[in-house]
Amino acid sequence: MRLSLFQPSMVITKHNRYGFSQALTLTLWPRLDPILRWGLRSLRGIDVQDLGAAIALNLAHPGQGVEVLQWDEIVRLAAHSTTDSMG
């Protein structure tokens, strides 16, 4: 049995559901991503569809224990999801 803990820093959605503060975040966060490099990579935002794809694909991978997935691992899984659906 495995417990997978997904830790995205910021989940980016297409629609603002929560007012001014989310509108500001949705506008500014994508512009911050390019400057969040190296040790700050885990603070990058991730699209909600990519997060969902990564979670779904991760279900098919065997494993034991507890795993913590942050930005790099989530993006890697999401990329496999898009290539799997194309071929």
Side-chain angles (χ1 to χ4, degrees), residues 28-40:
L28 295 178
W29 206 273
R31 290 177 173 87
L32 292 175
D33 274 353
I35 62 172
L36 297 173
R37 299 179 187 195
W38 303 289
L40 299 175

Side-chain angles (χ1 to χ4, degrees), residues 9-25:
S9 175
M10 176 60 66
V11 179
I12 306 297
T13 64
K14 293 182 185 197
H15 304 289
N16 175 4
R17 297 182 214 160
Y18 302 108
F20 178 74
S21 62
Q22 186 182 22
L24 190 60
T25 302

